[in-house]
Amino acid sequence: MDETIVAAVDSEAIAEVIAGRLRAEGLAVRVRYDSQAGIPRQLQPSGLGFGPGAFRVAVATPDADRAREVLGDEAPEPYRRRPMLRVVATILLIVALVALIPGVTLLVSVLFGLDR
């Protein structure tokens, strides 16, 4: 059977997630491992980054357009600024630093013998 690669990633887990999405649409999918730089699959660290990915998601050539269409529908959520979260995090950081200052000054005075 003739196959077409529709995705290439560095992580087997991500490749399986992509394959699962395509399988849910009724497509026959196969995850292939292509050795890069002679590294066996069992030793290949995740995200090694040798190029376009060692794990390839393949489908039958007649299903390639449908697979690309399914994968193309998945768009990441756009980044939204959250100013309130930033304000709360800044306040918590300031409170934590202020709470630590007396302990730090006491530690420095004990270490350098300034408490006598």
Side-chain angles (χ1 to χ4, degrees), residues 19-80:
R21 174 72 174 100
L22 294 173
R23 286 181 186 120
E25 293 293 322
L27 297 171
V29 182
R30 185 167 72 104
V31 174
R32 294 189 339 201
Y33 174 75
D34 292 335
S35 179
Q36 295 178 344
I39 299 173
R41 180 179 184 187
Q42 294 82 2
L43 300 177
Q44 191 248 354
S46 178
L48 195 57
F50 276 132
F55 294 94
R56 306 203 189 312
V57 180
V59 297
T61 300
D63 295 334
D65 289 335
R66 183 163 176 240
R68 287 189 186 106
E69 184 179 307
V70 168
L71 294 176
D73 291 344
E74 304 299 323
E77 181 180 324
Y79 176 75
R80 295 183 303 139

Side-chain angles (χ1 to χ4, degrees), residues 9 17 19 56 62 101 114:
V9 294
V17 168
R56 306 203 189 312
I101 288 175
L114 303 174

